[in-house]
Amino acid sequence: MTTPGTGTAPPGGAPGARPGAGTAGALAPARTELLGCPFDPIDMAGAVGRAVGWCEGDRRPRTIVTINAALVVAMRSDPDLARACRAGDLVLADGVPVVWASRLAGARLPARVAG
């Protein structure tokens, strides 16, 4: 379960959550698998909060990947690209078609997060 509008897990985390939220000790919501890509189910406010939290935290390098429909297609024929995208610390849906596909698949990504 996420805190509404923030895209971050409540204190103590949620079942299936993973490390990596914006604040020390918090857990990020579990990723949503869609079209072979592991998306973080957060909105723009959640993505910004996570990035700011990383800057305020340990400040180690992080990778934010924004995936649109064209990138999903390219990942299918380029294993190195697919591996790099899947390894992102934050993987976001950058396109309304990806959000629509998530709803049709029952994965329900909350919103497009433009890169």
Side-chain angles (χ1 to χ4, degrees):
M1 177 174 183
T2 62
T3 304
T6 66
T8 58
R18 60 187 178 75
T23 57
L27 295 175
R31 284 190 165 166
T32 298
E33 188 76 23
L34 176 69
L35 303 170
C37 303
F39 288 93
D40 288 286
I42 61 174
D43 57 14
M44 179 64 84
V48 170
R50 181 99 47 98
V52 168
W54 287 337
C55 292
E56 293 171 342
D58 61 12
R59 298 182 57 93
R60 71 177 177 85
R62 308 281 183 143
T63 304
I64 298 174
V65 181
T66 57
I67 297 180
N68 61 19
L71 193 53
V72 169
V73 171
M75 288 170 61
R76 291 181 174 274
S77 62
D78 187 338
D80 292 330
L81 174 63
R83 197 169 17 265
C85 289
R86 289 186 186 108
D89 295 296
L90 185 59
V91 181
L92 304 168
D94 182 10
V96 173
V98 174
V99 174
W100 288 342
S102 77
R103 291 178 183 166
L104 290 172
R108 299 214 41 100
L109 294 170
R112 170 184 180 251
V113 182

